[in-house]
Coordinates of all heavy atoms in Angstrom, one line a residue:
I93 N -164.3 114.5 -27.1 CA -164.1 114.0 -25.7 C -163.4 112.7 -25.6 O -163.3 112.0 -26.6 CB -165.5 114.0 -25.0 CG1 -166.4 112.9 -25.7 CG2 -166.2 115.3 -25.0 CD1 -167.7 112.6 -24.9
A94 N -163.0 112.4 -24.4 CA -162.4 111.0 -24.2 C -163.2 110.3 -23.1 O -163.3 110.9 -22.0 CB -160.9 111.2 -23.8
L95 N -163.7 109.2 -23.5 CA -164.5 108.4 -22.5 C -163.7 107.3 -21.9 O -163.1 106.5 -22.6 CB -165.7 107.8 -23.2 CG -166.7 108.8 -23.9 CD1 -167.7 108.1 -24.8 CD2 -167.4 109.7 -22.9
P96 N -163.5 107.3 -20.6 CA -162.6 106.3 -19.9 C -163.1 104.9 -20.0 O -164.3 104.6 -20.0 CB -162.6 106.8 -18.5 CG -163.9 107.5 -18.3 CD -164.2 108.1 -19.6
T97 N -162.1 104.0 -20.2 CA -162.5 102.6 -20.2 C -162.0 101.9 -18.9 O -161.8 100.7 -18.8 CB -161.8 101.8 -21.4 OG1 -160.3 102.0 -21.2 CG2 -162.2 102.4 -22.7
S98 N -161.9 102.7 -17.8 CA -161.4 102.2 -16.5 C -162.0 100.8 -16.2 O -163.2 100.6 -16.3 CB -161.7 103.2 -15.5 OG -161.3 102.7 -14.2
T99 N -161.1 99.9 -15.8 CA -161.6 98.6 -15.4 C -161.2 98.3 -13.9 O -161.3 97.1 -13.6 CB -161.1 97.5 -16.3 OG1 -159.7 97.6 -16.4 CG2 -161.6 97.7 -17.7
T100 N -160.9 99.3 -13.2 CA -160.6 99.0 -11.8 C -161.9 98.6 -11.0 O -163.0 99.1 -11.4 CB -159.9 100.2 -11.1 OG1 -160.8 101.3 -11.1 CG2 -158.6 100.5 -11.8
R101 N -161.8 97.9 -10.0 CA -163.0 97.4 -9.3 C -163.9 98.5 -8.8 O -165.1 98.4 -8.9 CB -162.6 96.4 -8.2 CG -163.8 95.9 -7.5 CD -163.5 94.5 -7.0 NE -164.5 93.9 -6.3 CZ -165.6 93.3 -6.8 NH1 -165.7 93.2 -8.1 NH2 -166.5 92.8 -6.1
N102 N -163.3 99.6 -8.3 CA -164.1 100.6 -7.7 C -164.6 101.7 -8.7 O -165.3 102.6 -8.4 CB -163.3 101.3 -6.6 CG -163.0 100.4 -5.4 OD1 -163.8 99.5 -5.2 ND2 -161.9 100.6 -4.8
N103 N -164.1 101.6 -9.9 CA -164.4 102.7 -10.9 C -164.8 102.1 -12.2 O -164.3 102.5 -13.3 CB -163.2 103.6 -11.0 CG -163.6 104.9 -11.8 OD1 -164.8 105.2 -11.9 ND2 -162.7 105.5 -12.4
T104 N -165.6 101.0 -12.2 CA -166.0 100.4 -13.4 C -167.2 101.0 -14.1 O -168.3 101.0 -13.5 CB -166.3 98.9 -13.2 OG1 -165.2 98.3 -12.5 CG2 -166.6 98.1 -14.4
P105 N -167.0 101.6 -15.3 CA -168.2 102.3 -15.9 C -169.1 101.4 -16.7 O -169.9 101.8 -17.5 CB -167.5 103.3 -16.8 CG -166.2 102.7 -17.2 CD -165.8 101.8 -16.0
Y106 N -168.9 100.1 -16.5 CA -169.7 99.2 -17.4 C -170.2 98.0 -16.6 O -169.8 97.7 -15.5 CB -168.9 98.6 -18.6 CG -167.8 97.6 -18.2 CD1 -168.1 96.3 -18.2 CD2 -166.5 98.1 -18.0 CE1 -167.1 95.4 -17.8 CE2 -165.5 97.1 -17.7 CZ -165.8 95.8 -17.6 OH -164.9 94.9 -17.3
T107 N -171.3 97.4 -17.1 CA -171.8 96.1 -16.6 C -171.5 95.1 -17.7 O -171.5 95.4 -18.9 CB -173.3 96.2 -16.2 OG1 -174.0 96.5 -17.4 CG2 -173.5 97.2 -15.1
L108 N -171.4 93.8 -17.3 CA -171.2 92.8 -18.3 C -172.4 91.9 -18.3 O -172.9 91.3 -17.3 CB -170.0 92.0 -17.8 CG -169.4 90.9 -18.8 CD1 -169.0 91.5 -20.1 CD2 -168.3 90.2 -18.2
T109 N -173.0 91.7 -19.6 CA -174.1 90.9 -19.8 C -174.0 90.1 -21.0 O -173.8 90.6 -22.1 CB -175.4 91.7 -19.9 OG1 -175.5 92.6 -18.8 CG2 -176.7 90.9 -20.0

Side-chain angles (χ1 to χ4, degrees):
I93 63 170
L95 301 171
T97 61
S98 174
T99 55
T100 62
R101 182 145 179 84
N102 296 330
N103 191 24
T104 304
Y106 71 89
T107 58
L108 187 61
T109 308

